[in-house]
Amino acid sequence: MESLRFKAINDLTSQSNGVDVEGSTKITGIFGENVFTIKTAREFLSDEAYKSLNASIKGAKKIDRAMANQIAAGLRQWAETKGVTHYTHWFQPLTGTTAEKHDSFFTIKGDGSAIETFDGDALIQQEPDASSFPSGGIRATFEARGYTAWDPSSPAFIMEIGQGKTLCIPTIFVSYTGETLDYKAPLLKSLEALNKAAVEVCHYFDKNVTKVNATLGWEQEYFVIDEAFFNARPDLVLGGRTVFGHSPAKGQQLEDHYFGAIPDRIYAFMRDFEQESYKLGIPLRTRHNEVAPAQFECAPIFEEVSVAVDHNTLLMDVMDRVARRHKLRALLHEKPFAGINGSGKHNNWSMATDTGINLLAPGKTPKTNLMFLTFFVNTIKAVYDYSDLMRASIASAGNDFRLGANEAPPAIISVFIGQYLYKVLNDVKERVGGKFDEQDEAILKLDLHRSIPELLLDNTDRNRTSPFAFTGNKFEFRAVGSTANCANPMTTLNAIMAETLKKFKKDVDTLIEKGEKKEIAIMHVIREYIVASEKVLFEGDGYSEEWHQEAEKRGLPNVRTTPKALDAMVTEKAKHLFESNNVLTHVELEARHEIELEKYLKKVQIEARIMGELATSHILPAAIKYQNELIANIKGLKEIGLKEDSYANQKQILTKVSEHVNKMAELVEKMIEARKKANVISNTRDKAIAYCDTIKGAYFDQIRYHADKLELLVGDEYWLLPKYREMLFLR
């Protein structure tokens, strides 16, 4: 029987090079054509409805039912001009994927007449089954009711699936009792908390600021492999990563893939998913080869955080659909292959005012520089004070494999700002004295822009080992995993920033009330925050053992596994942070902690089962078959009278194969028993830690070690699983 491995190779070499992608006109010609933008709304809504929708988007004002009916009618009219027959509330439950239930515009009236309709009630609210989504105990099986509620801040769009088209309405998802059950609702609340706190601080510098919004530019890394190889790997199909597989002789050692020429099939795939993305209003700007073989990246122009999160979540779905069209598979797992780079999703975060100011960009006057310094130092202080929550926000089973390995930042949360800004902060610390006198005003004349070339907005080197790095006019949260929903780390970052800014204003106002000048009071609080948080600043190599030792001396946490990282979510500090800023309640935090632990537990359990199945049904049978061939070969050579040294090499190989077969079989049995024992532990946290310690730590690496040795020893014709070398091969 032809092995899966050779069948995959035959499929690859015999098929065509992929789908032809029609050339398009300018991107501007198709950008947003499937999005109900404000410009589109102007065409399909009455003046009254248009103004109501616009006010809701800009000022978060509630839309009444009468206006909702008009907006719904306009949405349906627009959608029908595009050939749409169905609509859905599109939301982001805590599964890590999106959810949708399609309903048609078609209905039958009481008199039997058939009509097309879509009213305000259908636009504003639906009732999906809340008990069928993760709720962390908030919803029991018999308590099914939940609600999706329209989020006007994110525009409706049309998703083309095959020959069908569906109107998608972005929504939040809450339980019948009001608790949030998705990623989007807490994000919106965190944005409001940040807006309120940041505006009050901005008024120290500019009374015209009425709104501050967080901005996000994500960078999505991913692998692409041929569909035939994907289908030949049960571990990739079921778990998203290879639990077995020997690294190729040539991987990424020569550093020749990064920014190299894009392979033809990948180029066609990229162009295809980019065109689909442009139609959906996703402003993709960049595409390139990443460091590892068959690894790539795309990145958009910055957007407001809530829209950027929706666009990234939507893009991951689009990439998957389009890859299948090209007989490819896009792998978003943080570590699909051992021994080569994993994939992240760098979150480039900043804050912008409605007056057009980037609060993390150095200015050209002492006043604007003081405002920059205020928000810059407050961000560092926030990350220092809540580094445990930052780590928890990016914790996942997949990211555990990536953090600290092959160019991913370590699990230690630190901040890189570059030598120039490090010197600026040190100058502030040294020059702003303990006494409040007029000489302290000299520091206010600090003119950062003179040292920054006009054409180089960021005067910092890149530190690829830093989990949170300042890159000129933004902070780059590099530790986020490639499968993550950006809403989770962004919600945390917005919340800790809001809390820190609230404290900053209180501290400054206290000094002003004591008679200090506003600017002097601001500088003294900035200095206090610099001194309090300087331990989190690190400019060196995050991979080095010296940094791990230094971080321990500084008291910076180094939480390597997800279960322990998630504990930060349910501390009193976390509960106060999220509750006081109206982002998450105590109950919602506890529920999310439970959900994330359960998710981690289930993924480890799935991988353990995959590993056991592949070992017993693929690897060991192939190795035993090869054993029998060696035995027959040795026996035959012996029977014809050859001396023992003539088949000594075969005996040596046979001995090694037998050793690895026996040891691997023994370890698989122990892993299965450990999984069963861990599974009966009643407490979820203990259960997750038991899995982490006894399965991932004790068995995964050992079993894989023996499988790697067998792959090197066993002849190719017996090996059923495609190797990395072939999986990373694309024409």
Side-chain angles (χ1 to χ4, degrees):
M1 183 178 115
E2 184 181 25
S3 74
L4 292 173
R5 176 172 183 232
F6 289 115
K7 186 177 185 304
I9 295 172
N10 288 336
D11 288 345
L12 178 59
T13 55
S14 62
Q15 69 185 23
S16 65
N17 282 334
V19 177
D20 290 331
V21 181
E22 292 183 7
S24 65
T25 56
K26 291 181 179 179
I27 293 171
T28 51
I30 60 172
F31 187 76
E33 70 176 31
N34 285 343
V35 183
F36 194 71
T37 62
I38 281 295
K39 184 179 179 181
T40 306
R42 175 72 281 182
E43 180 182 351
F44 286 88
L45 299 183
S46 66
D47 286 346
E48 189 180 26
Y50 170 79
K51 289 177 181 177
S52 177
L53 177 62
N54 202 25
S56 177
I57 293 170
K58 290 183 177 180
K61 294 181 180 178
K62 190 174 181 179
I63 296 174
D64 62 39
R65 293 276 171 166
M67 286 300 99
N69 283 330
Q70 290 191 40
I71 294 169
L75 263 172
R76 178 175 65 84
Q77 183 185 356
W78 169 71
E80 287 178 340
T81 65
K82 300 278 190 178
V84 173
T85 59
H86 287 65
Y87 70 92
T88 182
H89 276 201
W90 182 82
F91 59 102
Q92 301 167 40
L94 297 172
T95 56
T97 58
T98 57
E100 52 198 61
K101 181 190 73 170
H102 297 201
D103 288 312
S104 68
F105 294 137
F106 166 80
T107 191
I108 297 178
K109 302 292 283 184
D111 61 1
S113 58
I115 64 167
E116 306 282 343
T117 185
F118 182 54
D119 60 24
D121 288 342
L123 169 64
I124 288 174
Q125 183 175 300
Q126 279 190 343
E127 294 186 21
D129 183 350
S131 68
S132 298
F133 291 100
S135 69
I138 290 176
R139 297 271 80 190
T141 303
F142 65 90
E143 297 173 317
R145 182 165 291 176
Y147 298 106
T148 50
W150 177 34
D151 169 24
S153 69
S154 193
F157 58 91
I158 294 170
M159 174 65 83
E160 299 184 30
I161 305 170
Q163 299 300 313
K165 297 180 179 181
T166 303
L167 173 64
C168 298
I169 300 157
T171 60
I172 63 171
F173 181 38
V174 299
S175 73
Y176 176 71
T177 47
E179 292 88 2
T180 59
L181 297 175
D182 69 340
Y183 288 110
K184 190 71 180 292
L187 175 67
L188 295 176
K189 292 179 179 180
S190 75
L191 286 168
E192 181 54 36
L194 176 62
N195 170 50
K196 183 178 179 182
V199 165
E200 291 189 355
V201 173
C202 281
H203 284 172
Y204 285 137
F205 313 98
D206 185 355
K207 296 291 186 182
N208 294 318
V209 174
T210 60
K211 186 175 182 181
V212 171
N213 205 353
T215 60
L216 170 64
W218 39 263
E219 302 169 30
Q220 181 69 60
E221 294 177 341
Y222 59 97
F223 283 85
V224 180
I225 66 170
D226 187 84
E227 187 174 61
F229 287 136
F230 177 86
N231 291 333
R233 293 292 306 228
D235 46 3
L236 275 180
V237 173
L238 298 175
R241 78 178 186 100
T242 54
V243 297
F244 293 119
H246 197 77
S247 299
K250 180 183 180 296
Q252 62 188 55
Q253 304 97 313
L254 298 180
E255 301 172 325
D256 56 350
H257 187 66
Y258 189 56
F259 279 22
I262 300 171
D264 289 351
R265 289 183 68 196
I266 301 301
Y267 184 61
F269 160 63
M270 285 178 170
R271 289 177 59 207
D272 201 354
F273 84 69
E274 284 171 354
Q275 288 191 36
E276 295 295 332
S277 298
Y278 293 142
K279 293 176 186 177
L280 293 167
I282 303 173
L284 291 178
R285 183 75 179 271
T286 301
R287 61 182 179 220
H288 62 82
N289 289 4
E290 254 301 331
V291 173
Q295 187 187 34
F296 308 92
E297 180 182 294
C298 63
I301 298 168
F302 281 62
E303 300 178 281
E304 293 186 356
V305 163
S306 62
V307 175
V309 166
D310 282 359
H311 281 166
N312 179 251
T313 308
L314 187 55
L315 175 88
M316 291 191 286
D317 185 37
V318 169
M319 287 173 65
D320 179 66
R321 295 178 191 274
V322 174
R324 294 167 189 261
R325 195 153 72 204
H326 288 254
K327 296 190 181 300
L328 299 167
R329 290 303 174 96
L331 306 180
L332 295 176
H333 193 286
E334 284 77 12
K335 201 74 172 175
F337 307 108
I340 57 177
N341 279 22
S343 295
K345 178 157 31 203
H346 306 163
N347 279 208
N348 295 279
W349 173 89
S350 189
M351 295 164 288
T353 70
D354 57 351
T355 59
I357 301 299
N358 180 348
L359 294 173
L360 290 178
K364 295 186 176 182
T365 67
K367 182 179 177 181
T368 55
N369 278 332
L370 184 56
M371 183 161 67
F372 157 72
L373 207 57
T374 294
F375 284 91
F376 179 69
V377 171
N378 270 273
T379 305
I380 296 169
K381 180 73 158 51
V383 173
Y384 174 72
D385 287 343
Y386 296 97
S387 62
D388 55 345
L389 282 174
M390 292 285 282
R391 172 67 180 90
S393 75
I394 48 96
S396 69
N399 220 16
D400 280 357
F401 291 113
R402 168 180 168 263
L403 292 177
N406 293 89
E407 207 177 283
I412 305 165
I413 300 297
S414 65
V415 179
F416 171 84
I417 61 174
Q419 293 182 357
Y420 174 72
L421 286 170
Y422 189 86
K423 183 179 182 301
V424 168
L425 297 192
N426 195 59
D427 285 347
V428 172
K429 186 174 72 170
E430 297 298 326
R431 291 166 61 184
V432 178
K435 294 181 180 179
F436 303 160
D437 55 47
E438 295 301 317
Q439 289 183 349
D440 287 332
E441 292 196 43
I443 192 67
L444 300 180
K445 294 182 171 57
L446 184 68
D447 212 358
L448 301 181
H449 81 284
R450 289 181 180 173
S451 300
I452 301 178
E454 287 293 324
L455 297 178
L456 296 175
L457 288 179
D458 86 80
N459 194 32
T460 62
D461 196 0
R462 295 290 300 276
N463 188 326
R464 303 182 71 87
T465 70
S466 175
F468 197 80
F470 185 70
T471 55
N473 56 5
K474 61 191 180 298
F475 278 97
E476 182 179 20
F477 195 8
R478 296 179 55 85
V480 183
S482 55
T483 60
N485 187 312
C486 296
N488 208 30
M490 291 298 98
T491 297
T492 299
L493 186 51
N494 293 338
I496 66 175
M497 192 64 187
E499 183 69 13
T500 306
L501 288 171
K502 282 161 55 179
K503 184 178 184 305
F504 178 83
K505 185 167 192 307
K506 181 180 178 182
D507 292 343
V508 170
D509 287 349
T510 298
L511 292 181
I512 293 173
E513 289 168 5
K514 290 179 179 179
E516 299 306 326
K517 289 184 177 180
K518 179 180 67 176
E519 290 81 4
I520 299 299
I522 289 171
M523 284 306 303
H524 278 277
V525 177
I526 285 175
R527 180 189 184 278
E528 176 188 328
Y529 282 20
I530 291 171
V531 173
S533 59
E534 61 186 348
K535 289 180 181 178
V536 81
L537 299 177
F538 179 64
E539 305 295 302
D541 182 3
Y543 294 156
S544 68
E545 182 58 33
E546 290 78 11
W547 167 233
H548 285 247
Q549 295 171 3
E550 173 64 22
E552 187 176 0
K553 290 179 184 177
R554 296 186 187 186
L556 300 179
N558 184 7
V559 186
R560 298 173 185 270
T561 60
T562 289
K564 292 180 181 178
L566 293 175
D567 283 348
M569 296 175 64
V570 287
T571 61
E572 290 305 314
K573 181 175 74 171
K575 292 172 186 175
H576 171 76
L577 167 75
F578 288 110
E579 286 189 326
S580 65
N581 287 286
N582 194 34
V583 176
L584 289 166
T585 66
H586 181 167
V587 171
E588 290 168 336
L589 268 178
E590 294 280 358
R592 282 161 199 271
H593 178 247
E594 183 82 7
I595 289 166
E596 292 303 319
L597 279 174
E598 190 72 18
K599 193 186 300 182
Y600 174 86
L601 165 67
K602 289 175 178 176
K603 287 187 176 181
V604 173
Q605 184 180 27
I606 289 169
E607 287 192 2
R609 286 176 169 163
I610 292 170
M611 183 170 275
E613 180 182 328
L614 289 181
T616 55
S617 64
H618 285 65
I619 296 172
L620 291 176
I624 291 169
K625 185 176 180 181
Y626 188 55
Q627 268 185 317
N628 291 334
E629 289 287 338
L630 287 170
I631 291 170
N633 179 263
I634 293 169
K635 184 178 179 181
L637 294 174
K638 188 176 182 179
E639 286 177 352
I640 63 173
L642 293 181
K643 295 180 180 180
E644 187 171 342
D645 59 359
S646 299
Y647 46 85
N649 187 53
Q650 291 92 318
K651 287 183 67 175
Q652 185 179 15
I653 295 173
L654 179 60
T655 300
K656 289 181 179 179
V657 169
S658 300
E659 288 175 356
H660 291 301
V661 165
N662 293 336
K663 191 62 180 176
M664 189 176 182
E666 177 187 337
L667 287 167
V668 168
E669 286 300 317
K670 288 182 178 179
M671 180 185 70
I672 292 171
E673 288 302 312
R675 183 175 61 78
K676 289 179 179 178
K677 290 177 181 178
N679 204 33
V680 299
I681 299 174
S682 58
N683 183 276
T684 305
R685 180 183 182 280
D686 291 340
K687 190 188 294 186
I689 292 174
Y691 269 118
C692 177
D693 291 344
T694 63
I695 297 177
K696 280 182 70 177
Y699 294 114
F700 276 13
D701 288 343
Q702 292 183 52
I703 293 172
R704 184 174 186 133
Y705 167 79
H706 293 288
D708 285 351
K709 293 298 183 183
L710 284 173
E711 186 174 351
L712 290 172
L713 292 167
V714 174
D716 261 11
E717 65 269 26
Y718 299 110
W719 203 254
L720 298 176
L721 298 176
K723 299 181 179 181
Y724 284 178
R725 170 176 54 81
E726 291 151 1
M727 297 186 69
L728 300 177
F729 169 67
L730 285 166
R731 291 186 298 143

